[in-house]
Amino acid sequence: DTGVSQNPRHKITKRGQNVTFRCDPISEHNRLYWYRQTLGQGPEFLTYFQNEAQLEKSRLLSDRFSAERPKGSFSTLEIQRTEQGDSAMYLCATVQGFGNSPLHFGNGTRLTVT
Amino acid sequence: QKEVEQNSGPLSVPEGAIASLNCTYSDRGSQSFFWYRQYSGKSPELIMSIYSNGDKEDGRFTAQLNKASQYVSLLIRDSQPSDSATYLCAVNIGEGGYNKLIFGAGTRLAVHP
């Protein structure tokens, strides 16, 4: 149990459908990150929250992707009009406080777009 | 040039040997460096963190950092088959309290009996 909870664990959807993933951080962790990982690659940064504020969104992220963290606790990542290229593992990671502490990852949500 | 580079492997070592994994990074301002282990289909788990030049040891693992050469490595002593996994090097990009980790593509390690 990593302490960071992600749901669902797996999601299969048809191209063009919308999907939403949820991340529940370790309770005292104020910083939350979303990463995407495809086969044979390392995790790729998508976006970052400090409490409820979204402070950075990757330039590589299309407008079909949106993330929220409304009360500074759980976060959602939505992908609209999914494409086959969106198939990947979506990872949430959190960390407490400030500075350069390591990130703690959840178990991830594996998305398959058919 | 990628921000964090690793050899993709696979690196194959016999059980009991030392496995040496290497990583280079491009941002001279980076101050924090991490090694994560990732088993197939699982999420990354932290093995080591290192912040200053030199060696840092934790059990069978030793992380080495050389900021002048922009190089960080991980040594695994007495390698076990259970160490077979992908090892991800991660480097902090950013200043102050903003901690964005950039990952390399990972090196796949295979430890054979």
Side-chain angles (χ1 to χ4, degrees), chain A residues 9-64:
Chain A
R9 293 293 303 275
H10 303 276
K11 178 70 176 179
I12 300 174
T13 192
K14 293 186 178 181
R15 188 177 54 185
Q17 298 296 304
N18 299 343
V19 294
T20 300
F21 310 140
R22 176 176 170 129
C23 172
D24 287 273
I26 297 171
S27 60
E28 62 270 24
H29 285 193
N30 60 323
R31 289 187 280 148
L32 186 148
Y33 301 75
W34 285 99
Y35 283 81
R36 175 175 62 192
Q37 187 177 25
T38 54
L39 196 62
Q41 300 298 315
E44 173 192 24
F45 172 81
L46 295 181
T47 191
Y48 158 66
F49 290 86
Q50 184 168 300
N51 299 313
E52 67 276 9
Q54 187 175 20
L55 298 187
E56 185 175 342
K57 185 176 177 180
S58 170
R59 293 188 303 272
L60 302 176
L61 211 57
S62 82
D63 290 342
R64 296 183 297 105

Side-chain angles (χ1 to χ4, degrees), chain B residues 28-103:
Chain B
R28 286 193 170 276
S30 297
Q31 296 295 320
S32 308
F33 308 87
F34 308 94
W35 283 99
Y36 284 81
R37 178 175 61 198
Q38 187 173 30
Y39 293 111
S40 180
K42 303 295 185 182
S43 63
E45 58 177 321
L46 179 72
I47 295 177
M48 294 284 289
S49 56
I50 187 166
Y51 302 95
S52 54
N53 283 328
D55 295 359
K56 178 182 178 182
E57 186 175 318
D58 184 0
R60 295 187 296 113
F61 299 99
T62 299
Q64 299 174 318
L65 174 61
N66 184 327
K67 290 183 181 179
S69 300
Q70 295 173 246
Y71 176 90
V72 59
S73 66
L74 178 70
L75 300 178
I76 306 175
R77 290 181 299 281
D78 189 24
S79 295
Q80 301 297 309
S82 59
D83 294 327
S84 298
T86 296
Y87 289 80
L88 299 164
C89 173
V91 177
N92 172 279
I93 304 292
E95 297 180 354
Y98 181 15
N99 179 26
K100 180 171 76 176
L101 292 188
I102 302 300
F103 286 82

Side-chain angles (χ1 to χ4, degrees), chain A residues 78-95:
Chain A
E78 180 183 18
I79 310 174
Q80 296 182 328
R81 305 181 303 282
T82 52
E83 302 173 356
Q84 286 187 322
D86 297 331
S87 296
M89 173 80 87
Y90 290 83
L91 295 162
C92 175
T94 70
V95 61

